[in-house]
């Protein structure tokens, strides 16, 4: 058994296990001389992981993490523009630094790519604007600023490169993110991502597997493979692994007990993925497969490239598996022209599938997307009514699905402690949250068997059943 949670590799920086893990902010550490940085991250897991890599680039250049934005010499916002509200938030944050001269303020991510040099017009105190497709140029851009450059941009979108770093600062001590594919070649009519993250490009399988081995050596047992369309992966190296080959290879890395992957596109979702989950215990019992709508007319207008029937067929493969695989989804309500009947088709789909979780959003028109010029905008109050109706409906479905687990015993990877409630918290292989009590002093990072006693719509509550199964290898 190798030593868990050992920070021994220069290519990987893993935080100590915190109590109450899960913060998305950069962990506070005192500065000790030299210049310091602070990164605030908005949006998806891809952004959270990009920030970990950007932090790695800065650490490699001798910057230290600052304990607050106010104390930092370099302040980066890693931004999200998937919906309008997220993009607006960035400008209100930037407004707080009006007239700032002493620190370097930079905007990264999707808003940077989308707004480009406009950001300098709206917030002249910003000195760096860089989209994710140009992160490889960050060291050079920072050099330019340090040697007196006033403003720098990295806005080239036409790239076949992925962002590789010597050091990645890991903000989550339990689950390690590994990018396998960047960008997106789909063209969903509502979505900014192809405009902000550029074309799809996969990482060579050797780079992915080497990273997985280093993570296992450092004590990680759970890896989450990331990509906007993770299952469109094609190994660009001569080995030519398929997505399923890669899943099996990561699962076979010694020390790795759980492999997750997100987000899957229904179009590229194959039976082989279900077969791999079925015969590989390390592959988690969970698939996030966003449907977006239950109406064929809306799916066509969204350019989702599949029908309701094709999607349901893929769900039937998952339901036929020997392992109980959880399915979760994303749904947009109030897409232009969506009728109440079409909305009800989405509600009917929720009933037909019985999702274990749904992220639901009201449609938000985005710049440069074809949907933003479609007629038939749904009034805001009606969008909100549909959202509330859908969320309540889905809540009932989750209550019933979770209630069925009362009395069962689940294996939970413990990721945090709620001191006030005297509870530990973690996730099952199926990604359900379980809160539980235990006599043990410290369970962080361990796999605990928990008897489920109560359930709610979003979590289960139980009691530690027997001794834990250890951080890495126990049974
Ligand atoms: N409006 C609302 N939701 C959106 N999403 C993507 N673009 C938009 C938009 N313009 C949602 C989709 C996607 C999730 C990450 O965000 O459901 O799967
Ligand atoms: Fe956006 Fe569609 Fe690509 Fe997902 S598949 S990132 S929704 S364009």
């Amino acid at each position: 058994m190798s030593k868990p949670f050992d920070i021994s590799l220069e290519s990987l920086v893993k935080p100590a296990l915190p109590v109450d893990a899960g913060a998305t902010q950069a962990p506070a550490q005192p500065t000790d001389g030299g210049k310091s940085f602070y990164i605030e991250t908005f949006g998806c897991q891809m952004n959270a992981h990009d920030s970990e890599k950007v932090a790695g680039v800065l650490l490699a250049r001798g910057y230290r993490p600052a304990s607050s934005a106010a104390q930092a010499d370099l302040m980066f916002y890693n931004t999200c523009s998937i919906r309008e509200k997220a993009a607006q938030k960035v400008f209100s944050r930037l407004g707080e630094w009006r007239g700032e001269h002493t620190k370097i303020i930079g905007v990264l991510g999707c808003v940077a790519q989308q707004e480009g040099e406009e950001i300098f017009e709206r917030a002249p105190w910003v000195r760096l604007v860089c989209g994710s497709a140009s992160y490889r140029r960050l060291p050079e851009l920072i050099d330019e600023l340090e040697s007196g450059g006033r403003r720098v941009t990295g806005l080239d979108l036409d790239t076949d490169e992925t962002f590789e770093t010597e050091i990645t600062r890991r903000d989550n001590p339990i689950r390690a993110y590994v990018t396998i594919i960047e960008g997106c070649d789909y063209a969903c009519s509502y979505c900014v991502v192809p405009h902000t993250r550029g074309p799809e490009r996969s990482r060579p399988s050797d780079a992915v597997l080497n990273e997985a081995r280093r993570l296992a050596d450092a004590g990680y047992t759970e890896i989450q493979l990331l990509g906007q369309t993770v299952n469109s992966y094609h190994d660009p190296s001569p080995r030519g692994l398929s997505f399923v080959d890669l899943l099996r290879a990561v699962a076979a890395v010694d020390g790795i007990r759980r492999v997750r992957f997100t987000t899957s596109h229904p179009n590229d979702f194959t039976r082989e993925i279900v077969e791999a989950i079925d015969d590989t215990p390390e592959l988690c019992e969970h698939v996030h497969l966003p449907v977006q709508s239950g109406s064929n007319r809306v799916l066509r207008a969204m350019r989702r490239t599949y029908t309701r029937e094709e999607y349901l067929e893929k769900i039937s493969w998952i339901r036929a598996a020997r392992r109980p695989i959880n399915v979760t989804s994303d749904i947009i309500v109030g897409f232009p022209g969506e009728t109440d009947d079409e909305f009800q088709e989405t509600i009917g789909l929720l009933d037909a599938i019985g999702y274990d979780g749904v992220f639901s959003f009201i449609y938000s028109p985005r710049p440069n997307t074809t949907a933003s010029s479609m007629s038939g905008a749904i009034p805001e109050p009606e969008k909100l009514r549909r959202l509330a109706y859908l969320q309540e409906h889905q809540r009932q479905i989750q209550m019933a699905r979770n209630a069925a687990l009362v009395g069962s015993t689940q294996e939970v990877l413990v990721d945090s402690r709620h001191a006030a409630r005297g509870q530990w918290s973690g996730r099952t292989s199926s990604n359900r949250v379980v809160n539980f009590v235990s006599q043990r002093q410290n369970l962080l990072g361990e796999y605990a068997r928990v008897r489920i006693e109560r359930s709610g719509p979003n979590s289960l509550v139980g009691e530690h059943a027997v001794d834990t199964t250890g951080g890495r290898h126990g049974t």
Side-chain angles (χ1 to χ4, degrees):
M1 168 138 178
S2 61
K3 11 163 205 84
F5 311 116
D6 180 17
I7 306 170
S8 54
L9 283 144
E10 59 192 37
S11 54
L12 181 140
V13 180
K14 186 173 191 292
L17 277 166
V19 170
D20 287 320
T24 57
Q25 290 278 22
Q29 281 175 31
T31 58
D32 73 301
K35 291 195 171 165
S36 65
F37 71 94
Y38 196 85
I39 305 176
E40 189 177 353
T41 307
F42 301 87
C44 62
Q45 283 157 327
M46 294 285 281
N47 261 15
H49 185 44
D50 281 346
S51 289
E52 293 181 327
K53 292 195 267 188
V54 170
V57 166
L58 295 170
L59 289 170
R61 301 180 61 76
Y63 281 84
R64 308 260 136 243
S67 49
S68 70
Q71 285 169 20
D73 299 301
L74 185 64
M75 175 68 212
F76 279 168
Y77 291 95
N78 190 1
T79 62
C80 169
S81 65
I82 196 99
R83 283 167 291 276
E84 197 184 349
K85 258 198 193 134
Q88 279 169 352
K89 207 189 264 173
V90 175
F91 284 103
S92 80
R93 277 289 202 288
L94 287 176
E96 292 166 18
W97 298 112
R98 185 177 299 277
E100 170 67 42
H101 289 303
T102 53
K103 64 175 95 243
I104 293 178
I105 295 173
V107 180
L108 307 174
C110 291
V111 174
Q113 190 66 51
Q114 191 177 292
E115 303 292 325
E117 302 195 354
E118 289 272 304
I119 293 176
F120 296 136
E121 309 277 308
R122 285 181 69 174
W125 49 94
V126 170
R127 294 181 58 198
L128 176 145
V129 172
C130 184
S132 67
S134 302
Y135 285 164
R136 284 180 74 105
R137 288 187 53 221
L138 268 179
E140 164 203 333
L141 296 177
I142 293 165
D143 268 354
E144 219 176 302
L145 284 179
E146 281 181 343
S147 49
R150 173 77 193 108
R151 279 173 179 165
V152 292
T153 54
L155 293 169
D156 191 9
L157 204 53
D158 184 19
T159 178
D160 56 4
E161 289 179 340
T162 51
F163 180 34
E164 305 291 334
T165 54
E166 244 172 85
I167 296 178
T168 297
R169 186 194 57 192
R170 303 278 165 183
D171 294 341
N172 183 331
I174 306 293
R175 179 183 289 183
Y177 296 122
V178 175
T179 307
I180 66 166
I181 177 170
E182 291 179 10
C184 178
D185 275 353
Y186 284 95
C188 301
S189 60
Y190 51 81
C191 186
V192 283
V193 167
H195 311 281
T196 59
R197 287 189 165 268
E200 174 190 302
R201 56 242 185 241
S202 293
R203 263 177 100 191
S205 56
D206 277 354
V208 172
L209 288 167
N210 285 337
E211 189 172 347
R213 286 185 206 109
R214 288 200 306 267
L215 288 164
D217 285 346
Y220 279 99
T221 64
E222 179 171 310
I223 283 180
Q224 179 154 348
L225 304 177
L226 292 181
Q228 228 70 47
T229 56
V230 74
N231 56 331
S232 313
Y233 178 84
H234 293 290
D235 185 2
S237 75
R239 288 183 73 190
L241 298 195
S242 68
F243 174 61
V244 169
D245 295 335
L246 186 72
L247 282 183
R248 291 184 190 278
V250 175
V253 169
D254 196 23
I256 296 303
R257 285 180 66 164
R258 285 186 175 181
V259 180
R260 303 183 183 280
F261 54 93
T262 196
T263 295
S264 295
H265 193 292
N267 200 54
D268 299 317
F269 193 82
T270 60
R271 268 180 200 276
E272 287 71 35
I273 298 174
V274 179
E275 285 162 13
I277 296 175
D278 237 353
D279 61 33
T280 316
E282 291 83 3
L283 295 182
C284 286
E285 296 166 347
H286 174 215
V287 175
H288 184 58
L289 199 63
V291 68
Q292 311 298 358
S293 167
S295 147
N296 278 333
R297 194 203 63 79
V298 174
L299 286 173
R300 239 182 351 263
M302 287 177 163
R303 297 215 202 123
R304 282 298 284 178
T305 75
Y306 53 83
T307 62
R308 173 190 176 105
E309 292 72 28
E310 285 163 346
Y311 182 88
L312 280 169
E313 193 192 354
K314 296 184 185 221
I315 296 292
S316 75
W317 304 337
I318 297 174
R319 294 297 182 225
R322 291 185 299 281
R323 295 176 75 195
I325 302 172
N326 262 18
V327 189
T328 55
S329 192
D330 294 349
I331 287 176
I332 298 176
V333 302
F335 188 77
E338 183 190 64
T339 64
D340 201 43
D341 283 352
E342 288 166 345
F343 171 65
Q344 284 302 329
E345 288 186 65
T346 301
I347 297 297
L349 191 76
L350 299 187
D351 289 331
I353 291 172
Y355 285 120
D356 295 285
V358 167
F359 298 97
S360 49
F361 311 99
I362 59 172
Y363 168 71
S364 165
R366 307 307 299 126
N368 308 318
T369 59
T370 51
S372 67
S373 53
M374 284 180 186
S375 58
I378 309 296
E380 213 60 18
E382 176 58 15
K383 285 191 207 169
L384 289 168
R385 187 194 70 78
R386 290 183 192 177
L387 184 73
Y389 183 96
L390 183 143
Q391 289 181 340
E392 176 51 29
H393 198 85
Q394 177 57 28
R395 204 176 88 92
Q396 301 294 334
I397 292 173
Q398 285 171 215
M399 294 256 273
R401 289 187 69 82
N402 285 344
L405 293 171
V406 171
S408 69
T409 300
Q410 303 284 327
E411 187 183 64
V412 176
L413 171 53
V414 184
D415 58 27
S416 54
R417 170 150 176 86
H418 302 290
R421 282 192 260 143
Q423 281 181 331
W424 296 95
S425 187
R427 287 182 185 258
T428 61
S429 163
S430 58
N431 213 31
R432 283 194 173 89
V433 173
V434 179
N435 300 311
F436 66 101
V437 287
S438 171
Q439 304 305 320
R440 288 274 304 272
Q441 285 302 304
N442 192 358
L443 286 170
L444 288 173
E446 300 205 29
Y447 288 79
R449 297 189 65 74
V450 178
R451 242 185 65 82
I452 306 303
E453 292 167 340
R454 281 179 289 130
S455 64
N458 298 311
S459 61
L460 304 170
V461 181
E463 190 179 352
H464 198 177
V466 286
D467 203 10
T468 67
T469 56
R472 290 171 64 92
H473 294 300
T475 51

